[in-house]
Amino acid sequence: MSRIQIQGFRPLKGRISIQGSKNAALPMMAAAVLHRGVTVLSNVPLIQDVECMKAILNSLGCRCIQKGGVLEIDASLLHTTQIPDCFMKQMRSAIILLGALLGRLGEASCCYPGGCLIGSRPIDLHLKALNGLGALAEEEELQVRVRAREGRGPTGGTIVLAYPSVGATEQALLGAVLAEGETRILGAAREPEICQLCRFLRGMGARVKGEGTDCLSVLGVKSFDLHDSFFSVGGDRIVAGTYMAAVMAATGDVQIRGADLEELKEPARLFMKAGARIRREERGRDFRISIKERPRGLTLETAPYPGFPTDLQSPFMAFLAGAMGESCIRETVFEERFATASQLEKMGARIKVEGLTASIKGVWPLMGARVTAGDLRGGAALAVAALGAGGTTVIEECRHIERGYEDICRDLSAVGAEIRWMDAEK
Ligand code: EPZ
């Protein structure tokens, strides 16, 4: 059980290098299954979810070798189409492998991915996407089975997504690469991770276009059209946004390296509205965020990209809990994503949750407490709040944080935070 201890009230100063994007790397790893050969990814984050996806790919017959941030996936000997239950339960996003396996081997199956702390997380849009590729996708006794019509692989078609689901868009893309004919995906997600995936797919020989819009088009190719490829994963915009929220909570002046401010337009607008200064460095894409006094309260609402990202909702709640005045957060993407509020209240926060709205009365200073991480971004948010709180905070169950942050203690210590792992192995 990993725990973190934080001594708050220390302004943050210095430079943080941002890890590769979890939510860009995972779909690329799944896409590697499409090619009977080798795919190399660099800047892959060293996190639990990547370990889990590697274990799944190895269990299907692939060979994954990672040295530092460079991951080589050889999918030549892929032989299994059933995703092991244990891994599906660990990481529901593995469900996007169904589309890739359907394209490569004509069938796939996995156990029904459960909901999680942030919501029920249905998969109806995933099944609709796979049906739209001429596959028979059905749920039976907690199993999800997908198979192409007799003897054929997926066939192109028009898929209309009623909601711009990131995962369902990835599912449709991966299923369409080797489908016969053209596939159009309407109502597609526009997240930067989708754009990276499309660039990655073109790099391996797929014919994909339209990324960044809500209408994607894929011209199916033959498996021999795909070839070995190399791709460098972009920086993780959510990790960058989390650390920017930490500066807001603790105050300070921090340079962020390896993330693209263009992908953080809406969070940056809100950080500045709350009192931060954000400015690009003369050379390259690095930027700085600074604030000298308590942030001002905000009203914000989460939405699909380019709206405010739901993954930064908890980190924003964490610094707004100590901000001046009142704030209001409306969560429109996941129906259960306010669990962190009850942990922040142990630190003295005043947060009232009513349905999809959280009303916050800023309290300063928050006080350190013993709190428990319940999910990935909620756990990171507790660290954000602790950095701006008086006294000592201990966060339990930090395995949740390790799913998506390489080493939050390493990163924040680099800018002066007094934060450390309490368990020996770190
Ligand atoms: C991806 O999850 C991300 N995960 C999430 O990040 C992120 O919060 C989410 O997109 C939204 O941006 C990965 O990329 C691995 P969705 P995903 O399908 O694909 C509903 C993190 O912290 N929906 O866009 O699962 C769903 O219930 C994680 O890194 C259906 O109704 O998100 C939700 O309300 C957390 N039916 C909404 O769509 C479906 O078939 C958005 O979900 C699928 C989704």
Side-chain angles (χ1 to χ4, degrees):
M1 177 196 73
S2 49
R3 293 177 301 160
I4 290 176
Q5 181 176 15
I6 297 169
Q7 197 66 32
F9 266 9
R10 280 164 179 69
L12 304 181
K13 287 194 186 324
R15 175 193 300 168
I16 298 183
S17 293
I18 300 298
Q19 69 189 56
S21 166
K22 166 177 88 77
N23 292 350
L26 293 175
M28 291 177 200
M29 292 171 71
V33 152
L34 289 162
H35 168 48
R36 192 191 309 271
V38 175
T39 298
V40 178
L41 299 173
S42 69
N43 200 31
V44 173
L46 304 170
I47 54 176
Q48 287 304 314
D49 274 10
V50 166
E51 288 307 307
C52 181
M53 185 62 94
K54 282 158 59 179
I56 294 172
L57 295 179
N58 288 335
S59 74
L60 300 176
C62 299
R63 189 168 53 88
C64 296
I65 299 171
Q66 183 165 5
K67 290 192 182 69
V70 179
L71 171 63
E72 179 182 298
I73 302 169
D74 183 344
S76 314
L77 301 178
L78 179 80
H79 52 62
T80 304
T81 60
Q82 162 83 34
I83 304 168
D85 292 5
C86 59
F87 296 126
M88 269 310 294
K89 291 184 171 35
Q90 254 187 68
M91 188 177 71
R92 56 183 322 285
S93 58
I95 193 171
I96 61 171
L97 273 163
L98 292 178
L101 290 167
L102 173 72
R104 174 79 184 271
L105 296 176
E107 61 167 18
S109 57
C110 68
C111 68
Y112 193 88
C116 63
L117 202 84
I118 63 175
S120 58
R121 306 190 76 174
I123 61 167
D124 55 314
L125 298 176
H126 289 259
L127 299 178
K128 180 155 194 239
L130 293 164
N131 282 315
L133 293 163
L136 297 172
E138 52 220 356
E139 299 166 82
E140 52 197 53
E141 296 119 40
L142 293 183
Q143 278 290 317
V144 179
R145 287 186 198 296
V146 179
R147 58 183 186 284
R149 291 236 162 70
E150 293 325 306
R152 297 170 59 194
T155 50
T158 297
I159 296 166
V160 181
L161 295 177
Y163 182 90
S165 154
V166 171
T169 302
E170 292 164 350
Q171 187 76 261
L173 276 168
L174 299 190
V177 168
L178 294 172
E180 204 176 297
E182 181 180 8
T183 300
R184 294 173 68 237
I185 306 166
L186 308 181
R190 298 166 53 191
E191 271 69 3
E193 293 76 23
I194 299 288
C195 296
Q196 279 197 60
L197 179 61
C198 290
R199 290 198 296 276
F200 165 76
L201 289 171
R202 276 198 294 274
M204 76 187 313
R207 299 180 65 184
V208 181
K209 62 184 182 182
E211 66 267 20
T213 75
D214 60 359
C215 175
L216 302 176
S217 162
V218 185
L219 214 46
V221 296
K222 298 291 180 203
S223 54
F224 52 73
D225 292 316
L226 301 182
H227 48 73
D228 290 6
S229 65
F230 169 85
F231 192 88
S232 181
V233 177
D236 192 311
R237 63 188 171 106
I238 303 302
V239 170
T242 305
Y243 294 161
M244 294 167 81
V247 176
M248 299 299 284
T251 72
D253 182 348
V254 168
Q255 184 186 50
I256 303 281
R257 305 199 75 178
D260 185 351
L261 190 56
E262 276 307 299
E263 297 179 352
L264 283 160
K265 267 191 187 147
E266 184 56 12
R269 183 185 72 80
L270 290 167
F271 281 132
M272 290 188 284
K273 192 170 175 187
R277 271 193 76 203
I278 296 177
R279 54 204 184 286
R280 291 176 188 286
E281 302 294 15
E282 281 70 47
R283 281 188 313 286
R285 288 190 318 182
D286 299 350
F287 58 91
R288 302 173 77 95
I289 179 169
S290 61
I291 186 166
K292 292 192 177 62
E293 63 287 319
R294 270 177 82 189
R296 295 186 288 272
L298 289 170
T299 293
L300 65 93
E301 177 169 298
T302 66
Y305 195 87
F308 180 82
T310 175
D311 291 350
L312 287 179
Q313 182 259 101
S314 302
F316 264 66
M317 179 185 280
F319 84 78
L320 291 172
M324 286 185 285
E326 302 196 354
S327 298
C328 181
I329 297 179
R330 188 164 154 70
E331 171 60 69
T332 72
V333 178
F334 288 108
E335 71 277 17
E336 301 282 338
R337 208 166 193 178
F338 285 139
T340 309
S342 59
Q343 297 301 313
L344 292 172
E345 285 175 333
K346 292 179 182 173
M347 301 171 74
R350 294 178 59 195
I351 304 172
K352 190 168 175 224
V353 173
E354 286 171 311
L356 297 176
T357 302
S359 305
I360 303 163
K361 284 189 175 16
V363 168
W364 195 84
L366 294 175
M367 292 316 293
R370 183 174 290 276
V371 291
T372 303
D375 65 273
L376 166 56
R377 306 302 175 185
L382 294 174
V384 167
L387 290 168
T392 303
T393 296
V394 172
I395 307 174
E396 312 270 358
E397 302 294 336
C398 291
R399 68 187 185 325
H400 291 290
I401 302 177
E402 293 173 280
R403 287 193 51 193
Y405 295 79
E406 277 189 349
D407 188 338
I408 196 166
C409 295
R410 172 201 69 193
D411 292 344
L412 291 170
S413 305
V415 288
E418 201 168 317
I419 178 172
R420 67 182 183 84
W421 293 101
M422 293 175 73
D423 311 313
E425 71 267 17
K426 277 288 174 189

